[in-house]
Amino acid sequence: MVMPTLCQAAFTALRQIWPVLVLEQLGSTFFDTALQMVAKDRSANATYPDAHLSTGDSQQKFMTDFFMIYNLIIRLVPIIPSMLLARLGDRGWRKVPIIVPLSGYLLSRLALLLVVIFRFPLEVMYGAGVVFGLSGGFCAFWPGVMTLVSLSSTAADRSKVMMKVELLYGIAGLVGSLMSGHLFLLYSSSLGNGTILLTVSTLLHLLCLIHSIVLLQVKPVSNNEPEDNCHLLSHDSSEVPVEAPAGRSMLNVALLFAAAMLYTSAVGGAVEILGIFVLKEPLSWNAAQVGYGNAAGCLIFITSFLGVTVFRRCASDVALILIGMLSFATGIYFMSFVTTTLTFYLARSLNLFALIPMPTIRSLLSQQVPASLCGTTLTSLQLALKFAGLAYIPAFTKIYQATLNWFPGFVFMLASIITVLAMIPVSIIGCRSLRWRQYVRIQGD
């Protein structure tokens, strides 16, 4: 009697989104470490005689230029495909925005494996980035996941459920990052570094794609709460929700978009450079250390989830966002002065709650629009973040290259300043929502 019940529970768990998240994140962390180290290996022969750069600076320029172009491709190309996939999702094909991007993930991982095995030029990855983008990429996959999670949870529990997604994503990334550096060093004498790591990554994405096609189940729950309610400040579930006018909701959406774009620009720009910064002197990390560094970043998923669990009992969603932004601004500021591995981890430890803002912003956005527009709204946010990437990626790259000799950590200080700016629209939302609730209570009295 017990065994059939356990089997049924296991099968039910397999049909949810959680296995897809774990498999995708494991495969992606393996790929990220491999791409970072392959780029470092290929940069050894990079020379810029016209620029009169040293060997170390030439390698940094090669890697920053490569990642700038590659990341611009994977942000620009998915814009139209991800919107088309979001529209299909909102018309009832909820699995399409997940399945199609996963096929792009699989092909791009296979491309890097072929680059390593057959010694193809690293520029082949630009073409792989185009294929990845045409499938929708992360720009379609993540909103697709968040839409499924939103539709399968009530508005009151949505922030917590979304943070559970981030938690699981972070745990999988932590495990994958700890393993990735060591797996990269395993190789056969004929194929070279990274072949085993990339083979495992490709197989994980293949398994993930098969699972999403065969087993993944879409099961929305009924939500009797008003779709246009504004729960920006209330953290008491017993409080009667206040219905906000449509115009007010749209203004909240605009402010949330602005905050998200500024914060993502700060985080994305800093992390973009951070992966290259640790490969230069005085840190000069190897593959294992790179994996540990990525694991430290994934650990923030766990601490952010714990932060939400604790703080949401006494703090509103707006306060949670501000706490997370302050955490990142502080940690990335001190990253500007890092010169040793120990100080790197000390600065990273200040980013404990840096991942709280984005899932909370997505949760608030999903509460400002009808369920029929949820997928389109979340995808529009993701597209806005991609457009922001078209500006901050080359900006941070060129600033880093220009300040490489006199202050390499200047870009991290700049990211801290942008994060403080991102706190302004969030604070405005908090003030406006507080005044609105006071007005409604006065009207009720």
Side-chain angles (χ1 to χ4, degrees), residues 108-436:
S108 63
R109 278 47 175 165
L110 180 61
L112 184 58
L113 177 61
L114 296 177
V115 166
V116 172
I117 293 177
F118 296 106
R119 306 294 194 274
F120 291 149
L122 190 59
E123 287 74 14
V124 170
M125 292 306 299
Y126 296 154
V130 172
V131 174
F132 177 74
L134 291 175
S135 71
F138 186 80
C139 188
F141 173 76
W142 195 244
V145 170
M146 286 301 183
T147 300
L148 286 185
V149 172
S150 298
L151 295 178
S152 61
S153 62
T154 62
D157 295 331
R158 196 162 296 164
S159 295
K160 187 175 181 179
V161 173
M162 285 189 172
M163 277 308 303
K164 285 183 179 180
V165 173
E166 300 278 358
L167 172 65
L168 185 62
Y169 209 63
I171 292 175
L174 175 65
V175 174
S177 297
L178 291 174
M179 297 171 56
S180 62
H182 298 286
L183 286 175
F184 181 84
L185 298 176
L186 298 176
Y187 67 99
S188 64
S189 58
S190 60
L191 298 179
N193 289 337
T195 51
I196 294 179
L197 178 63
L198 286 168
T199 300
V200 175
S201 175
T202 303
L203 292 176
L204 285 172
H205 279 98
L206 177 60
L207 183 60
C208 183
L209 178 60
I210 294 173
H211 178 279
S212 63
I213 295 173
V214 178
L215 292 177
L216 181 61
Q217 183 182 35
V218 179
K219 191 177 181 181
V221 299
S222 60
N223 193 345
N224 296 324
E225 300 180 31
E227 290 177 334
D228 294 326
N229 285 350
C230 182
H231 305 286
L232 297 175
L233 286 177
S234 174
H235 57 267
D236 186 357
S237 60
S238 63
E239 190 173 320
V240 178
V242 179
E243 186 172 348
R248 182 178 180 83
S249 295
M250 291 308 299
L251 184 55
N252 287 335
V253 168
L255 290 171
L256 289 170
F257 265 65
M261 291 178 68
L262 285 171
Y263 186 62
T264 299
S265 297
V267 175
V271 173
E272 178 75 19
I273 300 302
L274 191 60
I276 302 169
F277 175 79
V278 298
L279 298 176
K280 69 179 291 293
E281 295 180 351
L283 296 180
S284 302
W285 281 5
N286 57 30
Q289 290 173 314
V290 167
Y292 295 149
N294 292 338
C298 293
L299 186 62
I300 299 174
F301 283 89
I302 301 175
T303 54
S304 295
F305 173 79
L306 295 176
V308 168
T309 303
V310 174
F311 294 140
R312 75 190 304 265
R313 299 176 182 176
C314 57
S316 65
D317 284 344
V318 169
L320 287 175
I321 295 172
L322 293 176
I323 290 171
M325 289 183 173
L326 181 62
S327 173
F328 178 77
T330 305
I332 207 64
Y333 175 80
F334 285 104
M335 189 66 72
S336 306
F337 309 101
V338 163
T339 56
T340 64
T341 299
L342 176 60
T343 53
F344 171 89
Y345 285 112
L346 289 176
R348 209 72 169 111
S349 66
L350 296 175
N351 296 147
L352 290 176
F353 308 122
L355 293 177
I356 292 178
M358 288 311 300
T360 308
I361 287 175
R362 289 188 178 97
S363 173
L364 292 180
L365 276 175
S366 70
Q367 298 172 35
Q368 305 301 307
V369 297
S372 59
L373 296 176
C374 183
T376 302
T377 302
L378 292 178
T379 302
S380 298
L381 173 63
Q382 201 67 32
L383 289 176
L385 302 183
K386 296 298 181 182
F387 277 116
L390 300 181
Y392 72 72
I393 290 176
F396 272 77
T397 299
K398 295 304 179 183
I399 292 173
Y400 177 69
Q401 292 177 350
T403 59
L404 190 58
N405 292 325
W406 61 278
F407 189 15
F410 177 77
V411 291
F412 304 133
M413 187 175 295
L414 178 63
S416 180
I417 295 172
I418 296 174
T419 302
V420 174
L421 294 177
M423 297 171 71
I424 296 176
V426 178
S427 301
I428 293 174
I429 291 175
C431 293
R432 292 181 69 254
S433 299
L434 181 60
R435 288 199 300 267
W436 171 255

